[in-house]
């Protein structure tokens, strides 16, 4: 199947799945309103990167059996696959959280993040830790240029070369998907906005842990992020923008 045909098929599938919601947002339990008009024909331009944040076994596995988690996994995988179908594909960067050893030397034991790191036990210790691996529903295509970066804080660029890569490749727009909204998504959106990147967050491709806290997700996506302003969009809008953008340059 040709890339353009596959992308159209994926977009059509998502639209069909979401036809009963407004404006097509199928996350659980209530729709999140896009900060852009539903009929907006925006693009991501040509110099954009997709940041797929913390899609690891330990986090995604904790929500995978819930309705919210299943919707999140399906939507995020659909978007990642649609981007891979483009020719050339845009830069996709995945992040994994893990620490060098059981002492977690990257974390100040008296600092604020120590509690967060401590709550993970040994699940995220070492580059080969199962908990830190990208969840199998999400495809990392090294041949397409996908990158996987280690991180040790909420922010996607903490302890790695994210900012250097974005700057070196002339990226000016970032599109965020990930888990959790109040952690990596919020932290990364603020930081990259401050660095003058245009920031899009795909509402369908975000979720809280545990997944039964929709109020937090809605408050961030409908209240906090649009005030930056970052653009909060639906999966349908994101797939449409992919189709209209590019060809990607990096």
């Amino acid at each position: 199947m040709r890339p353009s045909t596959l992308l159209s098929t994926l977009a059509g599938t998502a639209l069909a799945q979401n036809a009963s919601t407004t404006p097509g947002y199928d996350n659980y339990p209530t729709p999140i309103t896009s900060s852009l008009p539903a009929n907006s024909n925006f693009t991501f331009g040509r110099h954009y990167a997709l940041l797929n944040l913390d899609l690891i076994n330990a986090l995604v596995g904790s929500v995978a059996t819930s309705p919210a988690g299943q919707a999140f996994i399906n939507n995020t995988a659909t978007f990642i696959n649609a981007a891979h179908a483009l020719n050339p594909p845009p830069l996709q960067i995945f992040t994994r959280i893990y620490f060098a050893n059981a002492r977690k030397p990257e974390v100040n034991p008296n600092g604020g993040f120590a509690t967060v790191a401590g709550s993970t036990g040994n699940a995220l210790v070492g580059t080969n830790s199962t908990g830190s691996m990208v969840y199998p529903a999400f495809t990392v295509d090294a041949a397409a240029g996908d990158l996987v970066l280690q991180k040790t804080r909420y922010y996607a660029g903490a302890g790695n070369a994210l900012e250097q890569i974005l700057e070196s490749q002339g990226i000016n727009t970032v599109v965020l998907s990930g888990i959790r909204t109040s952690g990596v998504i919020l932290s990364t959106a603020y930081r990259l906005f401050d660095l003058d990147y245009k920031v899009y967050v795909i509402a369908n491709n975000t979720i809280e842990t545990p997944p039964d806290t929709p109020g937090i997700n809605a408050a961030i996506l409908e209240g906090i992020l649009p005030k930056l302003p970052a653009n909060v969009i639906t999966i349908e809008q994101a797939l449409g923008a992919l189709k209209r953008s590019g060809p990607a340059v990096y």
Side-chain angles (χ1 to χ4, degrees):
M1 183 180 290
R2 294 166 52 191
S4 59
T5 303
L6 176 58
L7 182 57
S8 297
T9 300
L10 289 168
T13 300
L15 286 167
Q17 289 174 338
N18 300 316
S20 62
T21 57
T22 304
Y25 180 73
D26 70 349
N27 203 359
Y28 178 90
T30 56
I32 299 293
T33 304
S34 171
S35 63
L36 297 176
N39 61 352
S40 176
N41 288 322
F42 67 93
T43 79
F44 299 136
R46 299 185 68 188
H47 301 271
Y48 67 99
L50 312 184
L51 306 187
N52 306 314
L53 306 175
D54 300 358
L55 302 177
I56 60 174
N57 289 327
L59 296 177
V60 179
S62 71
V63 303
T65 60
S66 69
Q70 291 165 6
F72 163 76
I73 292 169
N74 179 67
N75 287 321
T76 304
T78 294
F79 186 69
I80 290 170
N81 293 341
H84 283 149
L86 295 174
N87 186 22
L91 176 62
Q92 295 205 58
I93 301 176
F94 294 74
T95 60
R96 294 172 53 205
I97 313 164
Y98 63 88
F99 305 98
N101 56 47
R103 292 185 61 252
K104 300 175 183 173
E106 302 91 341
V107 180
N108 180 344
N110 298 314
F113 200 77
T115 300
V116 178
S119 69
T120 66
N122 290 325
L124 304 179
V125 170
T127 185
N128 295 320
S129 55
T130 301
S132 74
M133 295 296 182
V134 174
Y135 192 76
F138 309 118
T139 300
V140 178
D141 188 349
D146 292 359
L147 301 176
V148 181
L149 303 179
Q150 177 195 14
K151 66 189 262 301
T152 55
R153 292 292 190 281
Y154 283 134
Y155 169 48
N160 60 46
L162 176 65
E163 292 178 18
Q164 181 180 357
I165 292 168
L166 296 178
E167 181 178 5
S168 298
Q169 299 305 311
I171 300 299
N172 58 31
T173 298
V174 292
V175 185
L176 275 55
S177 302
I179 181 172
R180 40 187 186 100
T181 315
S182 61
V184 67
I185 294 294
L186 189 60
S187 178
T188 302
Y190 266 86
R191 173 63 178 168
L192 294 184
F193 179 86
D194 279 347
L195 292 177
D196 291 330
Y197 291 93
K198 190 167 188 177
V199 178
Y200 289 89
V201 176
I202 305 175
N204 304 69
N205 297 4
T206 67
I207 193 170
E208 276 297 294
T209 56
D212 57 354
T213 51
I216 295 175
N217 217 42
I220 294 170
L221 296 174
E222 293 186 316
I224 296 173
L225 287 176
K227 281 184 172 290
L228 271 178
N231 297 301
V232 177
I233 59 175
T234 68
I235 185 65
E236 293 80 14
Q237 289 177 313
L239 289 168
L242 269 184
K243 189 175 181 180
R244 293 186 294 269
S245 299
V249 175
Y250 67 94

